[in-house]
Amino acid sequence: FMAIAIHSIAIVFCIGMEMVSSGTRQARIILSMVVLSVVTPLGVVMGLLLTLHAQTETGAHVLLVGVLQGVAGGTLLYITFFEVLARDKLAKYGMSGLVGALVIM
């Protein structure tokens, strides 16, 4: 749990800096940070409860773990190709995040 908290500090800092540099109002920045700080631990607790509740490897448990891992993997791919690469690298070549994802893969 501590690793997630430490990681969240860096994420919140980066999001906050981007919001400040883009001229977002202070009330909206504070609201966004509060929502993010509440949702992150809530997601961890939900994931723990959903995956640790079933002690046996039933079909439903395997499906649930697969869906949760798919959501996590999809989130990482979205952030990589549509947020990070689209801004930094792909815009230089005139590609969108989707085209860049297809080229890289």
Side-chain angles (χ1 to χ4, degrees):
F1 199 76
M2 192 63 160
I4 294 171
I6 292 171
H7 177 74
S8 293
I9 291 170
I11 298 297
V12 168
F13 178 76
C14 291
I15 291 172
M17 288 299 295
E18 188 168 323
M19 292 177 86
V20 167
S21 68
S22 68
T24 306
R25 294 178 312 184
Q26 186 176 7
R28 183 153 180 123
I29 293 172
I30 292 171
L31 178 65
S32 297
M33 295 302 127
V34 168
V35 168
L36 184 60
S37 67
V38 169
V39 170
T40 301
L42 186 66
V44 170
V45 170
M46 279 179 47
L48 285 172
L49 290 175
L50 289 172
T51 57
L52 294 179
H53 179 64
Q55 296 295 328
T56 59
E57 294 287 327
T58 63
H61 182 260
V62 171
L63 178 65
L64 177 65
V65 170
V67 167
L68 290 175
Q69 289 179 351
V71 169
T75 302
L76 287 173
L77 287 174
Y78 173 80
I79 290 170
T80 300
F81 290 115
F82 288 96
E83 296 293 327
V84 176
L85 286 180
R87 261 187 268 151
D88 294 341
K89 309 273 188 241
L90 299 178
K92 181 169 60 173
Y93 298 108
M95 289 190 269
S96 69
L98 184 59
V99 174
L102 293 174
V103 168
I104 291 173
M105 287 184 191

